Amino acid sequence: MLNASVTVDPAFVVGPVRPRTFGSFVEHLGRCVYTGIHDPGHPTADADGFRGDVVDLVRELGVSTVRYPGGNFVSAYRWEDGIGPVSERPRRLDLAWHSTEPNWVGLDEFMRWCAKSSVEPMMAINLGTRGVQDALDLLEYCNVPGGTHFSDLRRANGAEEPYRVTMWCLGNEMDGPWQTGHKTAHEYGRLAAETARAMRQVDPSIELVACGSSGSGMPTFGSWEHTVLTEAYDQVDLVSAHAYYHEEDGDLASFLASAVDMDRFVDDVVATADAVRAAGKHTKRIQVSFDEWNVWYVNRAESRPPSGDDWPVAPVLLEDRYNVADAVVVGNLLISLLRHSDRVHAASLAQLVNVIAPIMTEPGGRSWRQTTFHPFALTARHAAGEVLQVAVDAPAQATAKFGDVPVLDAVATHDPATGDVTVFAVNRSLTQDVTLDVDLRGFPGLEVLEATTLSNPDHTWQATADDATSVLPRANGSAALTDGRATAVLPPVSWSMVRLGRA
Ligand code: AHR
């Protein structure tokens, strides 16, 4: 048994809990769109062919924004292929995923799905094969009320009111050599700046995300952000970061410490953005949009696109099945994002359905929650008010990748409106319980409202369509509060939430 203490104090506010931290991502990739959110033959499908069971799960997950339509897909995408009568839409080669894009779902359908799912769209534009003019046309279609070619086209397509999309990603992973239309930092920075400047002439209220690095391991990481922001600082609001983690070679200890890497990644992006700010004598600060993050077993066969003459529609791709340890890491990555709420102003769990996703579907059949669904849904529901910086005192755990890391990681939120405090914590030990001791003397009069833990003696357990409920977050009966100190026993490889308030 190990002991760890966490001190929570109302004075140490990091920033607000931002709803956009709980964003996700729908890409035209594999079965995310087709047979994922869209499945006209499904018994719950609506007039657009969108699955009602998936909409219900998206709502339960608590997703705020949904980034669309890619990802790598967007870098050769012609958005106007996806508007107008479905029967007249072209079929295209999707170079990113070696698939055929039938364009059965496009912009207008996606906007209707967003309204139905109560999520905010976050649009990505193609800066791989396209540029300023196409971005302007798309923005005009989305945000101009009417009286111009593209806004009237939208109205003719059935959307009288503009969509008023606020968040726009200026391309996707343009630092990656795999990206169609990949660019150097200088080329991309200039294009991003000019595209952003022109887009703001159409709609000054938009928020623009420049592409940062597609991973902290990229050889250009750091210098990419520096060059891009030097070119585009005044024109953009946020810079993106992407990170995927997986257990490699059975090294569970390092995998469970993935949030250490995310912490460093955010700190490094912020430092680089602030260095450009200082050198350029800018006043505003560039914020971080962590608009792709998750566990992804990128080397598994499921992640290999088709090849040769095989260009299927909606093939099975990136359909990772997540286990309990994966869910603990997802919960820990959310802890990392929350503790950076001062500078991480948006984030997207990549992706939403079937493709490295918390929600899975059978074509025409069942849908279910993966293990990773639960920490996301509970954090989205119960993180409220302000994020508090907590002082963690925990024994070290040795890891091959990150050296010694604290065996326990935690963050807390405090809602001044209700007085509630919620502590989110992970026990990264592979074998030992951790007794968590939370010093809450700064919050007199609280009681434990709920303590919930996700763990399993077999951390490799995965949810399936046949059994998605044997392992769920369960009440942690060990939680107690005495003299301003809450205690709970957290099992090995576990994610927990302790909610405190006035009953
Ligand atoms: O989310 C899967 C892929 O990962 C996205 O298309 C791309 O942006 C990233 O490399």
Side-chain angles (χ1 to χ4, degrees):
M1 172 80 82
L2 302 168
N3 295 301
S5 69
V6 170
T7 305
V8 186
D9 190 291
F12 299 127
V13 176
V14 177
V17 175
R18 299 178 190 277
R20 283 181 180 160
T21 301
F22 304 104
S24 186
F25 179 26
V26 164
E27 177 168 5
H28 285 249
L29 192 184
R31 299 194 310 113
C32 186
V33 174
Y34 305 117
T35 73
I37 63 170
H38 183 263
D39 197 352
H42 193 269
T44 67
D46 67 8
D48 279 317
F50 289 123
R51 288 177 65 141
D53 60 337
V54 173
V55 167
D56 290 345
L57 285 171
V58 170
R59 286 172 169 276
E60 183 186 325
L61 187 60
V63 167
S64 54
T65 60
V66 174
R67 185 168 174 254
Y68 175 86
N72 296 340
F73 170 80
V74 80
S75 293
Y77 180 54
R78 304 170 219 214
W79 66 271
E80 63 276 20
D81 284 351
I83 59 171
V86 173
S87 60
E88 293 169 22
R89 296 184 190 172
R91 290 165 74 88
R92 301 274 191 199
L93 296 181
D94 162 19
L95 303 182
W97 302 106
H98 207 279
S99 305
T100 295
E101 172 53 52
N103 285 303
W104 296 324
V105 170
L107 183 59
D108 294 308
E109 289 86 14
F110 177 69
M111 292 296 167
R112 289 199 285 275
W113 180 83
C114 284
K116 192 168 182 181
S117 308
S118 304
V119 300
E120 177 192 355
M122 178 185 195
M123 293 298 292
I125 61 171
N126 173 358
L127 287 187
T129 60
R130 293 188 146 188
V132 182
Q133 187 59 62
D134 296 298
L136 291 178
D137 295 347
L138 174 57
L139 180 59
E140 182 187 318
Y141 188 91
C142 288
N143 284 13
V144 171
T148 64
H149 175 76
F150 282 109
S151 60
D152 286 344
L153 190 55
R154 182 201 66 242
R155 293 166 69 203
N157 286 336
E160 183 59 32
E161 295 302 318
Y163 297 126
R164 299 196 192 286
V165 177
T166 303
M167 299 283 284
W168 293 85
C169 301
L170 297 164
N172 177 69
E173 294 190 349
M174 298 310 301
D175 63 320
W178 58 86
Q179 202 68 214
T180 309
H182 160 64
K183 293 174 174 51
T184 66
H186 187 70
E187 287 165 348
Y188 170 70
R190 290 285 307 126
L191 180 59
E194 291 311 314
T195 307
R197 205 157 56 80
M199 288 177 76
R200 281 200 205 284
Q201 288 179 280
V202 175
D203 184 350
S205 71
I206 56 180
E207 292 173 41
L208 293 168
V209 185
C211 288
S213 292
S214 46
S216 59
M218 293 296 288
T220 50
F221 174 54
S223 67
W224 172 274
E225 282 77 0
H226 195 276
T227 304
V228 167
L229 291 178
T230 299
E231 293 294 347
Y233 200 96
D234 285 330
Q235 279 76 37
V236 304
D237 306 292
L238 303 104
V239 62
S240 71
H242 293 178
Y244 294 100
Y245 302 96
H246 63 277
E247 185 181 341
E248 270 177 292
D249 305 325
D251 182 4
L252 181 59
S254 295
F255 176 52
L256 289 170
S258 297
V260 171
D261 180 76
M262 184 181 253
D263 286 340
R264 291 178 188 166
F265 192 176
V266 173
D267 292 344
D268 289 349
V269 173
V270 166
T272 308
D274 288 351
V276 178
R277 172 178 182 261
K281 305 192 172 25
H282 304 280
T283 47
K284 76 172 182 190
R285 284 187 198 278
I286 297 289
Q287 312 298 351
V288 178
S289 172
F290 217 116
D291 48 41
E292 285 187 35
W293 68 271
N294 205 348
V295 172
W296 176 9
Y297 288 85
V298 67
N299 300 323
R300 282 188 187 156
E302 293 91 324
S303 291
R304 218 166 295 134
S307 58
D309 291 335
D310 188 21
W311 296 83
V313 174
V316 172
L317 270 175
L318 281 67
E319 297 203 10
D320 284 3
R321 301 300 159 109
Y322 293 120
N323 64 29
V324 173
D326 298 326
V328 171
V329 170
V330 163
N332 200 169
L333 295 173
L334 272 171
I335 288 171
S336 170
L337 290 169
L338 281 172
R339 84 167 131 252
H340 289 101
S341 287
D342 53 339
R343 299 303 293 272
V344 176
H345 284 207
S348 303
L349 175 70
Q351 298 192 5
L352 186 57
V353 185
N354 290 331
V355 172
I356 43 173
I359 299 169
M360 298 300 291
T361 67
E362 291 172 335
R366 297 172 290 182
S367 54
W368 69 98
R369 300 163 189 79
Q370 295 233 53
T371 55
T372 54
F373 185 100
H374 304 293
F376 189 102
L378 288 168
T379 308
R381 191 174 321 145
H382 294 296
E386 297 163 337
V387 182
L388 301 179
Q389 190 185 338
V390 300
V392 174
D393 187 6
Q397 170 157 290
T399 70
K401 273 194 190 164
F402 308 113
D404 283 355
V405 304
V407 76
L408 177 124
D409 195 15
V411 73
T413 64
H414 170 228
D415 187 349
T418 61
D420 289 0
V421 173
T422 304
V423 179
F424 302 94
V426 290
N427 175 2
R428 295 166 169 161
S429 170
L430 313 193
T431 52
Q432 289 184 273
D433 288 348
V434 167
T435 299
L436 171 65
D437 176 328
V438 188
D439 184 341
L440 288 158
R441 285 172 294 179
F443 298 94
L446 296 185
E447 296 175 27
V448 176
L449 301 179
E450 178 189 359
T452 300
T453 292
L454 177 62
S455 71
N456 198 43
D458 174 11
H459 67 260
T460 66
W461 184 90
Q462 304 174 336
T464 62
D466 291 329
D467 176 14
T469 56
S470 288
V471 178
L472 291 173
R474 296 203 190 283
N476 185 325
S478 70
L481 197 151
T482 322
D483 297 333
R485 303 190 89 95
T487 53
V489 178
L490 312 184
V493 194
S494 66
W495 173 91
S496 298
M497 173 185 80
V498 182
R499 293 179 50 229
L500 306 128
R502 286 173 184 80

